[in-house]
Amino acid sequence: MDATNRLVAGVLAEISDLLEIHGENPFKVRAYARAAEVVGHLGRSVAGMNEDELEALPGIGKAIAEKVREIAETGTCREQARLREATPQGLPALLNLQGVGPKTVRRLWKELGVVGLDDLEAAARAHRIRALRGFREKKEHEILRAVGVARRGTDRMSLTEAEHLADVMLAAIPGEAWVAGSLRRGRSTIGDIDIVTLAPVRETAHSLARVADEVIDAGEKKISIRISGRRADVRFAAPKDLGAMLLYLTGSKAFNIRLREVARIPGMRLNEYGLTDHKTGELRQFRTEDEVFAALGMSPVPPELREDRGEVDLALEGNIPPLVDVQEIRGDLHVHSEWSDGTMSLEEIAAAGEERGYEYMLVSDHSASLGIAHGLDAPRLARQQVAIEQVNRTSGCTLLAGVEVDILADGKLSLPDESLQNCDLVIASVHSAFGQDEDVMTRRVITAIEKRDVDIIGHPTGRLIGRRPPVAIDMERVIRAAAENETALEINASPGRLDLDDIYIKQAQERGVRLAIGTDAHAAPELAYLRHGVALARRGWCGPGDILNTRSLADLLERRG
DNA sequence: GCCGTTTTCGGCCCGACTGTTTTCAGTCG
């Protein structure tokens, strides 16, 4: 995300939390929270927008537009300062505790003098919480447990972890079940697991309790558990109303709210059971999501687009753009072999490509430079190209002779031009000096983009999910340069990277930049990551024409002239 | 604070579950 947008979104979200603690109008609280979301997912920087442009954004009116300008210019605003003055610093963090909301935080503060996590834990241990009216032993235990969970950290899950936990749950549930929530929407990180099932309630509760750390709550309609430290929700449906339930549990929350607003216009109420006519009270049920969309007069919205970023209005006009499908992918555009730090031989890569029905695989081993073991220098790259030719004589899947060349700290590449000219396709990536400041890093990457022989910029922001933040880089400038030079940007499909992020993919797609999906596989099982890359491309509104991997081998090679 | 196919005031998505309740507030998704 753009640094200014991140800053502004953070301040607006904090104002929302503080207003909530002070018992302000809930709709005002929501207005700030929504504005924070909108700014956080904006493709362009609010730093360059005037108040008129800001007010044109959904959920941003005169008052918030002024504050956005103030925050963008000064890093804060008077409203934030005023609220911070009136509120102990540690209080907003308490809102994140499971089972603790604004009303509770306020009472703990006013009646017990609690101003942070440590205070709260001490108060609970001293049994001072159960002394409050309306609170008893159970609430005190709940709070202590929530403090423990918070101290262990509550980072979002990687896709790998989330898919594993979902599989464990699907295996435990005695009946048909579907993954919903952010996992179904293809998000890069997952907060909790959501599942819809047709299985019977009682048996499901029993078998889930066996795989769970803890059952958070269990009723007739839903079960919430903690599994391997993560939260999971299961909702029960019947075949005749499965559509509305899947739609509801897939979300996102913002999308659901928009959809329910759409339903209200003709006097309907949308919930997870169907559409109710306000006047007659009649409930219409739906077996599939598409039937719900049809009843609302919309074309179906693919799960990956359900974020309230303009897709609802397009669906109402019947103008949802076609998105790239995994079936349309003709090859993997980033694979490592045993020639550098991978484990697959060239023959194994070709065989794996054939097995997947691909036309081609881009062999893109690391170039020799600091930090990368067994990188290829010019002579070894030349020898690899001979070996690739040999494999291609008998392989049904063509190996493209490529390389993932390092972009050095000064923007130069770590292989000579002649070496790069002999490649079918060249990926250029940053693997060192991650700490450069934004302008230096941006110019460094743009220097590589402008090189004639560079076809793709690998993992453009360099983030490692949960381990390393993205480098400081002005993606708007990078995307403009990529458009001007017809250089593609990579969608790195490895669950540890998922780089680019969807908001930049969309921005690149809008400017006509091509995107290349690569698994960055270092071993055969990692070739399956491709589907994550496709999901990410879909989240960035990419159609088949935006994706390099949908091109035929001949078309792809034509790029090099 | 935002917003307009019941427009410039008066609404604002909707329901499940828990705890401490004797009818509901608070929290969550």
Side-chain angles (χ1 to χ4, degrees), chain A residues 350-364:
Chain A
E354 211 167 325
E355 196 179 319
R356 293 181 167 271
Y358 289 160
E359 275 179 47
Y360 48 79
M361 300 279 261
L362 176 58
V363 178
S364 48

Side-chain angles (χ1 to χ4, degrees), chain A residues 199-214:
Chain A
V201 176
R202 197 172 279 273
E203 287 104 282
T204 303
H206 266 107
S207 41
L208 283 178
R210 279 199 293 273
V211 298
D213 313 337
E214 169 199 0

